[in-house]
Amino acid sequence: MHAVQCENCLKWRVIDTQDEFEDIRYKFTEEPFHCSQKANYSCDDPADIEYDSSRTWVIDKPNLPKTPQGFRRSLVLRKDYSKLDAYYFTPTGEKLRTRTQIAAYLKDHPECKGISATDFDFASPKIMRDTIPEDVEQKDYVSANKKAKMTQDDI
């Protein structure tokens, strides 16, 4: 499910397709979303969904490039809910995990003319920690920097 928050009323609106969501995300800073952009909606209508812990929420970064036509971006949540891994599926169904794999695929498939490896972004959305189910065993999220500053007396 894809959702976006209205800049004016802060209500969440469900976006019907990944393609439509990517359009909104791609130009979000320049053209923030407003309820009126969705057919037959206004800020006076109730929210489509509420931000709560009934589902795990992730917040994608604004202005990521749209997935090139024929490719599909997929996000997979790790079992420990520590992050999402981004993958791209090619028009031929191959799963690509890195920009290096994308560059090799594009080189081997001249029909993908006009597409560059820089058109793909593996940025991972931020997982909203307050929506992770309580029964999920999570890693200790003390930063490596804090661990490095700990002295022997602290251990």
Side-chain angles (χ1 to χ4, degrees):
M1 172 189 306
H2 296 91
V4 66
Q5 192 173 36
C6 175
E7 179 187 47
N8 294 333
C9 67
L10 304 180
K11 293 176 184 171
W12 289 94
R13 300 292 177 206
V14 172
I15 303 303
D16 297 327
T17 67
Q18 182 172 346
D19 192 51
E20 183 182 359
F21 174 77
E22 288 188 5
D23 274 338
I24 294 166
R25 184 191 62 202
Y26 175 65
K27 51 191 172 191
F28 193 79
T29 302
E30 295 169 5
E31 298 175 31
F33 179 81
H34 299 105
C35 290
S36 59
Q37 289 173 247
K38 199 168 174 189
N40 303 316
Y41 275 84
S42 77
C43 289
D44 296 331
D45 295 315
D48 292 346
I49 55 174
E50 296 293 334
Y51 179 91
D52 61 22
S53 62
S54 65
R55 62 181 50 86
T56 301
W57 286 72
V58 300
I59 305 295
D60 220 342
K61 295 178 179 165
N63 306 327
L64 291 179
K66 276 193 68 173
T67 301
Q69 190 169 357
F71 289 81
R72 184 175 57 86
R73 184 174 188 242
S74 177
L75 298 169
V76 178
L77 182 62
R78 292 185 180 182
K79 288 180 186 178
D80 65 359
Y81 285 66
S82 61
K83 74 177 275 191
L84 286 117
D85 294 310
Y87 303 104
Y88 285 92
F89 287 90
T90 68
T92 58
E94 294 175 58
K95 182 179 186 180
L96 305 178
R97 294 174 170 86
T98 66
R99 193 167 269 133
T100 302
Q101 287 179 332
I102 288 174
Y105 179 87
L106 295 173
K107 183 179 177 186
D108 293 343
H109 293 82
E111 66 274 14
C112 294
K113 190 169 101 177
I115 299 175
S116 164
T118 60
D119 295 332
F120 298 83
D121 196 307
F122 288 89
S124 181
K126 178 182 178 185
I127 298 171
M128 304 309 293
R129 306 202 52 70
D130 59 333
T131 66
I132 295 175
E134 291 178 11
D135 61 341
V136 172
E137 190 173 323
Q138 298 176 43
K139 291 180 181 179
D140 181 15
Y141 288 96
V142 176
S143 73
N145 194 27
K146 283 185 182 178
K147 285 182 184 177
K149 289 182 180 178
M150 291 175 70
T151 65
Q152 188 62 31
D153 293 336
D154 294 325
I155 300 176

